[in-house]
Amino acid sequence: MPEFLARLTVRRDSGPIDSTDTLCRFVATRAAFIAQKTLYGYLKARMGTRYPSMFEDDVFASSIDIAKMHVFAACLSDLTLFAVSHALQDETLDDVLRRELALQCFHKGLADNAAAAAQTSAFSADEAMQAFERRLAFHDWHNGPRGAALFTASPAALFEWAPIAPALKKHDKEIVENSIKFKWRDIRERFEKRARGSAVAADLTSFAELRH
């Protein structure tokens, strides 16, 4: 069990988020944390005392690995948009920079968990990246959803991919989706307290200037 639960990178820190690196690290680790916490929490609530023994079933363990990666990618998508939107609020910034940082964060999250993804045949990091790029293409940084309203992919993914019998799951939709939405509140509050938007913007801008 400990080894199984540790397959996603969930390392935590508490310093200021004042660079693109620290922002991307926060997004990647918190997305992994929420994905695991909510998925395993739902499974444990549904299975009760049978929960530990179910990990001895290879088919079920494989199903959890698949679910975990899909939920993680959805969490990564939601949190990336929130973090970039919150940190880069300066209206003078070019949206190209916002998109660039969002892609950087999402890619880092996938790369940090490449080993877990490689062990999961029914998950494609390339397809996850393409799905995020499609979401970005239609995202309005100025007049689109903000704050909690950005967290739409992760509740849907948790409900869809959790390996629970459909007959049981159909009664859980509202509870499951609300549970992950509630857990995101603490993550958003922690980010808002630690984020130094002007420093992140300066770091991103200087890096962009160096490349050109």
Coordinates of all heavy atoms in Angstrom, one line a residue, residues 116-175:
A116 N 4.9 7.0 -13.4 CA 3.6 6.5 -13.1 C 2.8 6.4 -14.4 O 2.0 5.4 -14.6 CB 2.9 7.4 -12.1
A117 N 2.9 7.3 -15.3 CA 2.2 7.3 -16.5 C 2.6 6.1 -17.4 O 1.8 5.5 -18.1 CB 2.3 8.6 -17.3
A118 N 3.9 5.9 -17.4 CA 4.5 4.8 -18.2 C 4.0 3.4 -17.8 O 3.9 2.5 -18.6 CB 6.0 4.9 -18.2
Q119 N 3.6 3.3 -16.6 CA 3.1 2.0 -16.1 C 1.6 1.8 -16.3 O 1.0 0.8 -16.0 CB 3.4 1.9 -14.6 CG 4.9 1.9 -14.2 CD 5.1 1.9 -12.7 OE1 4.3 1.5 -11.9 NE2 6.2 2.4 -12.3
T120 N 1.0 2.9 -16.9 CA -0.5 2.8 -17.1 C -0.8 2.8 -18.6 O -0.7 3.9 -19.3 CB -1.1 4.1 -16.4 OG1 -0.6 4.2 -15.1 CG2 -2.6 4.0 -16.4
S121 N -1.1 1.7 -19.1 CA -1.3 1.5 -20.6 C -2.5 2.3 -21.1 O -2.5 2.8 -22.2 CB -1.5 0.1 -20.9 OG -2.6 -0.5 -20.2
A122 N -3.5 2.5 -20.3 CA -4.7 3.2 -20.7 C -4.7 4.7 -20.4 O -5.8 5.4 -20.3 CB -6.0 2.6 -20.0
F123 N -3.5 5.3 -20.3 CA -3.4 6.7 -20.2 C -2.3 7.2 -21.1 O -1.2 6.6 -21.1 CB -3.0 7.1 -18.7 CG -2.7 8.6 -18.6 CD1 -3.8 9.5 -18.4 CD2 -1.4 9.1 -18.5 CE1 -3.5 10.8 -18.3 CE2 -1.2 10.4 -18.4 CZ -2.2 11.3 -18.3
S124 N -2.5 8.3 -21.8 CA -1.5 8.8 -22.7 C -1.2 10.2 -22.3 O -2.1 11.1 -22.4 CB -2.0 8.8 -24.2 OG -1.2 9.6 -25.0
A125 N 0.0 10.5 -22.0 CA 0.5 11.9 -21.6 C 0.3 12.8 -22.8 O -0.1 14.0 -22.7 CB 1.9 11.8 -21.2
D126 N 0.6 12.3 -24.0 CA 0.4 13.1 -25.2 C -1.0 13.5 -25.4 O -1.3 14.7 -25.8 CB 0.9 12.3 -26.5 CG 2.4 12.2 -26.5 OD1 3.1 13.0 -25.8 OD2 2.9 11.3 -27.2
E127 N -1.9 12.6 -25.2 CA -3.4 12.9 -25.4 C -3.8 13.9 -24.3 O -4.7 14.7 -24.6 CB -4.2 11.6 -25.3 CG -4.0 10.7 -26.6 CD -4.8 9.5 -26.5 OE1 -5.6 9.3 -25.5 OE2 -4.7 8.6 -27.4
A128 N -3.3 13.7 -23.1 CA -3.6 14.6 -22.0 C -3.2 16.1 -22.4 O -3.9 17.0 -22.1 CB -3.0 14.2 -20.7
M129 N -1.9 16.1 -22.9 CA -1.4 17.4 -23.3 C -2.2 18.0 -24.4 O -2.5 19.3 -24.4 CB 0.0 17.2 -23.8 CG 0.8 18.5 -24.0 SD 1.3 19.2 -22.3 CE 1.4 20.9 -22.7
Q130 N -2.7 17.3 -25.4 CA -3.5 17.7 -26.5 C -4.8 18.3 -26.0 O -5.4 19.3 -26.4 CB -3.7 16.6 -27.5 CG -2.4 16.3 -28.3 CD -2.5 15.0 -29.1 OE1 -3.6 14.5 -29.3 NE2 -1.4 14.5 -29.6
A131 N -5.4 17.5 -25.0 CA -6.7 17.9 -24.4 C -6.5 19.3 -23.7 O -7.4 20.1 -23.8 CB -7.2 16.9 -23.5
F132 N -5.4 19.5 -23.0 CA -5.2 20.7 -22.3 C -5.0 21.9 -23.3 O -5.5 23.0 -23.1 CB -4.0 20.6 -21.4 CG -3.7 21.9 -20.6 CD1 -4.7 22.3 -19.7 CD2 -2.6 22.6 -20.8 CE1 -4.4 23.5 -18.9 CE2 -2.4 23.8 -20.1 CZ -3.3 24.2 -19.2
E133 N -4.3 21.6 -24.4 CA -4.1 22.6 -25.4 C -5.4 23.0 -26.1 O -5.6 24.2 -26.4 CB -3.2 22.1 -26.5 CG -1.7 22.0 -26.0 CD -0.8 21.3 -27.1 OE1 -1.3 20.8 -28.1 OE2 0.4 21.4 -26.8
R134 N -6.3 22.1 -26.2 CA -7.7 22.4 -26.8 C -8.4 23.3 -25.8 O -9.1 24.2 -26.1 CB -8.5 21.1 -27.1 CG -8.0 20.4 -28.3 CD -9.0 19.3 -28.7 NE -9.2 18.3 -27.7 CZ -8.5 17.2 -27.6 NH1 -7.5 17.0 -28.5 NH2 -8.7 16.3 -26.7
R135 N -8.3 23.0 -24.5 CA -9.0 23.8 -23.5 C -8.4 25.2 -23.5 O -9.1 26.2 -23.4 CB -8.8 23.1 -22.1 CG -9.6 23.9 -21.0 CD -9.4 23.2 -19.6 NE -10.2 23.8 -18.6 CZ -10.3 23.5 -17.3 NH1 -9.5 22.4 -16.9 NH2 -11.1 24.1 -16.5
L136 N -7.1 25.3 -23.6 CA -6.4 26.6 -23.6 C -6.9 27.4 -24.8 O -7.0 28.7 -24.7 CB -4.9 26.4 -23.7 CG -4.1 26.4 -22.4 CD1 -2.6 26.3 -22.7 CD2 -4.4 27.6 -21.5
A137 N -7.1 26.8 -25.9 CA -7.5 27.5 -27.2 C -8.8 28.2 -27.0 O -9.0 29.3 -27.7 CB -7.6 26.5 -28.3
F138 N -9.7 27.8 -26.1 CA -11.0 28.4 -25.9 C -11.1 29.2 -24.6 O -12.1 29.7 -24.3 CB -12.1 27.3 -26.0 CG -12.2 26.7 -27.4 CD1 -11.6 25.5 -27.7 CD2 -13.0 27.4 -28.3 CE1 -11.8 25.0 -28.9 CE2 -13.1 26.8 -29.6 CZ -12.5 25.6 -29.9
H139 N -9.9 29.2 -23.9 CA -10.0 29.9 -22.6 C -9.8 31.4 -22.7 O -8.9 31.9 -23.4 CB -8.9 29.4 -21.7 CG -8.9 29.9 -20.3 ND1 -9.9 29.7 -19.4 CD2 -8.0 30.8 -19.7 CE1 -9.7 30.4 -18.3 NE2 -8.6 31.0 -18.4
D140 N -10.7 32.2 -22.1 CA -10.7 33.6 -22.1 C -10.0 34.1 -20.8 O -10.7 34.0 -19.7 CB -12.1 34.2 -22.2 CG -12.1 35.7 -22.4 OD1 -11.1 36.3 -22.0 OD2 -13.1 36.2 -22.9
W141 N -8.8 34.6 -20.8 CA -8.1 35.0 -19.6 C -8.7 36.2 -18.9 O -8.4 36.4 -17.8 CB -6.6 35.3 -20.0 CG -5.8 34.1 -20.5 CD1 -5.5 33.8 -21.7 CD2 -5.3 33.0 -19.7 NE1 -4.8 32.6 -21.8 CE2 -4.7 32.1 -20.5 CE3 -5.4 32.7 -18.3 CZ2 -4.0 31.0 -20.1 CZ3 -4.7 31.6 -17.8 CH2 -4.1 30.7 -18.7
H142 N -9.5 37.0 -19.7 CA -10.0 38.2 -19.1 C -11.5 38.2 -18.7 O -11.8 38.7 -17.7 CB -9.7 39.3 -20.1 CG -8.3 39.4 -20.5 ND1 -7.3 40.0 -19.7 CD2 -7.7 39.0 -21.7 CE1 -6.2 39.9 -20.4 NE2 -6.3 39.3 -21.5
N143 N -12.3 37.5 -19.5 CA -13.7 37.5 -19.3 C -14.3 36.1 -19.0 O -15.5 36.0 -18.9 CB -14.4 38.2 -20.4 CG -14.0 39.6 -20.7 OD1 -14.0 40.4 -19.7 ND2 -13.6 39.9 -21.9
G144 N -13.4 35.1 -19.0 CA -13.8 33.8 -18.7 C -14.0 33.4 -17.3 O -13.9 34.3 -16.4
P145 N -14.2 32.2 -16.9 CA -14.4 31.8 -15.5 C -13.2 32.1 -14.7 O -12.0 32.1 -15.2 CB -14.6 30.2 -15.6 CG -15.0 30.0 -17.1 CD -14.3 31.1 -17.9
R146 N -13.4 32.4 -13.4 CA -12.3 32.6 -12.5 C -12.5 31.9 -11.2 O -13.6 31.5 -10.9 CB -12.2 34.2 -12.3 CG -11.9 35.0 -13.5 CD -11.7 36.4 -13.2 NE -10.3 36.6 -12.7 CZ -9.2 36.7 -13.4 NH1 -9.3 36.6 -14.7 NH2 -8.1 36.9 -12.8
G147 N -11.5 31.8 -10.4 CA -11.6 31.2 -9.1 C -12.1 29.8 -9.1 O -11.7 28.9 -10.0
A148 N -13.1 29.5 -8.3 CA -13.7 28.2 -8.1 C -14.3 27.7 -9.4 O -14.4 26.5 -9.7 CB -14.7 28.1 -7.0
A149 N -14.8 28.6 -10.3 CA -15.5 28.3 -11.5 C -14.6 27.6 -12.5 O -15.1 27.0 -13.5 CB -16.1 29.5 -12.1
L150 N -13.3 27.7 -12.3 CA -12.3 27.1 -13.2 C -12.2 25.6 -13.0 O -11.7 24.8 -13.8 CB -10.9 27.7 -13.1 CG -10.8 29.1 -13.7 CD1 -9.5 29.7 -13.2 CD2 -10.8 29.0 -15.2
F151 N -12.7 25.1 -11.8 CA -12.4 23.7 -11.4 C -13.6 22.8 -11.9 O -14.5 22.4 -11.1 CB -12.2 23.6 -9.9 CG -10.9 24.2 -9.5 CD1 -10.8 25.6 -9.4 CD2 -9.8 23.5 -9.2 CE1 -9.6 26.2 -9.0 CE2 -8.6 24.0 -8.8 CZ -8.5 25.4 -8.7
T152 N -13.6 22.5 -13.2 CA -14.7 21.8 -13.8 C -14.2 20.4 -14.3 O -15.0 19.4 -14.3 CB -15.3 22.5 -15.0 OG1 -14.2 22.8 -15.9 CG2 -15.9 23.8 -14.5
A153 N -13.0 20.3 -14.7 CA -12.5 19.0 -15.2 C -12.3 17.9 -14.2 O -12.6 16.8 -14.4 CB -11.2 19.2 -16.0
S154 N -11.7 18.3 -13.0 CA -11.4 17.4 -12.0 C -12.6 16.7 -11.4 O -12.6 15.5 -11.2 CB -10.5 18.0 -10.9 OG -11.1 19.2 -10.4
P155 N -13.7 17.4 -11.0 CA -14.9 16.7 -10.5 C -15.5 15.7 -11.5 O -15.9 14.6 -11.1 CB -15.9 17.9 -10.2 CG -15.0 19.1 -10.0 CD -13.9 18.9 -11.0
A156 N -15.5 16.1 -12.8 CA -16.0 15.2 -13.8 C -15.2 14.0 -13.9 O -15.7 12.8 -14.1 CB -16.2 15.9 -15.1
A157 N -13.9 14.2 -13.9 CA -12.9 13.0 -14.1 C -13.0 12.1 -12.9 O -12.9 10.8 -13.1 CB -11.5 13.5 -14.3
L158 N -13.1 12.6 -11.7 CA -13.2 11.7 -10.5 C -14.4 10.8 -10.6 O -14.3 9.6 -10.3 CB -13.2 12.6 -9.3 CG -13.4 11.8 -7.9 CD1 -12.2 10.9 -7.7 CD2 -13.5 12.8 -6.8
F159 N -15.5 11.4 -11.0 CA -16.7 10.6 -11.1 C -16.7 9.6 -12.2 O -17.1 8.4 -12.1 CB -17.9 11.5 -11.3 CG -19.2 10.8 -11.4 CD1 -19.8 10.2 -10.3 CD2 -19.8 10.6 -12.6 CE1 -21.0 9.5 -10.4 CE2 -21.0 9.9 -12.7 CZ -21.6 9.3 -11.6
E160 N -16.1 10.0 -13.3 CA -16.1 9.1 -14.5 C -15.1 8.0 -14.3 O -15.4 6.8 -14.7 CB -15.6 9.9 -15.7 CG -15.5 9.1 -17.0 CD -15.0 9.9 -18.2 OE1 -14.9 11.1 -18.1 OE2 -14.7 9.2 -19.2
W161 N -13.9 8.2 -13.8 CA -12.8 7.2 -13.8 C -12.7 6.4 -12.6 O -12.1 5.3 -12.6 CB -11.5 7.9 -14.1 CG -11.4 8.4 -15.5 CD1 -11.6 9.6 -16.0 CD2 -11.1 7.6 -16.6 NE1 -11.4 9.7 -17.3 CE2 -11.1 8.4 -17.8 CE3 -10.8 6.2 -16.8 CZ2 -10.8 8.0 -19.1 CZ3 -10.5 5.8 -18.1 CH2 -10.6 6.6 -19.2
A162 N -13.3 6.8 -11.5 CA -13.3 5.9 -10.2 C -13.8 4.6 -10.5 O -14.9 4.4 -11.1 CB -14.1 6.6 -9.1
P163 N -13.0 3.5 -10.2 CA -13.5 2.1 -10.5 C -14.5 1.6 -9.6 O -14.3 0.7 -8.8 CB -12.2 1.3 -10.5 CG -11.3 2.1 -9.5 CD -11.7 3.5 -9.7
I164 N -15.7 2.2 -9.7 CA -16.9 1.8 -8.8 C -17.9 1.3 -9.8 O -18.1 1.9 -10.9 CB -17.4 3.0 -8.0 CG1 -16.3 3.5 -7.1 CG2 -18.6 2.6 -7.2 CD1 -15.9 2.5 -6.0
A165 N -18.7 0.3 -9.4 CA -19.7 -0.3 -10.3 C -20.7 0.8 -10.6 O -21.2 1.6 -9.7 CB -20.5 -1.4 -9.5
P166 N -21.1 0.9 -11.9 CA -22.0 2.0 -12.3 C -23.3 2.0 -11.5 O -23.9 3.1 -11.3 CB -22.3 1.6 -13.8 CG -21.0 0.9 -14.2 CD -20.6 0.1 -13.0
A167 N -23.8 0.9 -11.2 CA -25.1 0.8 -10.4 C -24.9 1.5 -9.1 O -25.9 2.1 -8.6 CB -25.5 -0.6 -10.2
L168 N -23.8 1.5 -8.5 CA -23.5 2.2 -7.2 C -23.1 3.6 -7.4 O -23.6 4.5 -6.7 CB -22.4 1.5 -6.4 CG -22.6 0.0 -6.0 CD1 -21.4 -0.5 -5.4 CD2 -23.8 -0.1 -5.0
K169 N -22.3 3.8 -8.5 CA -21.8 5.2 -8.7 C -22.9 6.2 -9.1 O -22.8 7.4 -8.8 CB -20.8 5.1 -9.8 CG -20.0 6.4 -10.1 CD -19.2 6.4 -11.3 CE -18.0 5.4 -11.2 NZ -17.1 5.5 -12.4
K170 N -23.9 5.7 -9.8 CA -24.9 6.7 -10.3 C -25.6 7.5 -9.2 O -26.1 8.6 -9.4 CB -26.0 6.0 -11.1 CG -26.9 5.0 -10.3 CD -27.9 4.3 -11.2 CE -28.8 3.4 -10.4 NZ -29.8 2.8 -11.3
H171 N -25.6 7.0 -8.0 CA -26.2 7.7 -6.9 C -25.2 8.7 -6.2 O -25.5 9.4 -5.2 CB -26.7 6.8 -5.8 CG -27.7 5.8 -6.4 ND1 -29.0 6.2 -6.8 CD2 -27.7 4.5 -6.6 CE1 -29.7 5.2 -7.3 NE2 -28.9 4.1 -7.1
D172 N -23.9 8.6 -6.6 CA -22.9 9.4 -5.9 C -22.4 10.7 -6.6 O -21.6 11.4 -6.0 CB -21.6 8.5 -5.8 CG -21.9 7.2 -5.0 OD1 -22.9 7.2 -4.2 OD2 -21.1 6.3 -5.1
K173 N -22.9 10.9 -7.7 CA -22.4 12.0 -8.6 C -22.3 13.4 -7.8 O -21.2 14.0 -7.8 CB -23.2 12.2 -9.8 CG -22.7 13.3 -10.8 CD -23.6 13.4 -12.0 CE -23.1 14.5 -13.0 NZ -21.8 14.4 -13.4
E174 N -23.3 13.8 -7.2 CA -23.3 15.1 -6.6 C -22.3 15.1 -5.4 O -21.6 16.1 -5.2 CB -24.7 15.5 -6.1 CG -24.7 16.9 -5.5 CD -26.2 17.3 -5.1 OE1 -27.1 16.5 -5.4 OE2 -26.3 18.4 -4.6
I175 N -22.4 14.1 -4.6 CA -21.5 14.0 -3.4 C -20.0 13.9 -3.8 O -19.2 14.6 -3.2 CB -21.9 12.7 -2.6 CG1 -23.3 12.9 -2.0 CG2 -20.9 12.5 -1.4 CD1 -23.8 11.6 -1.3

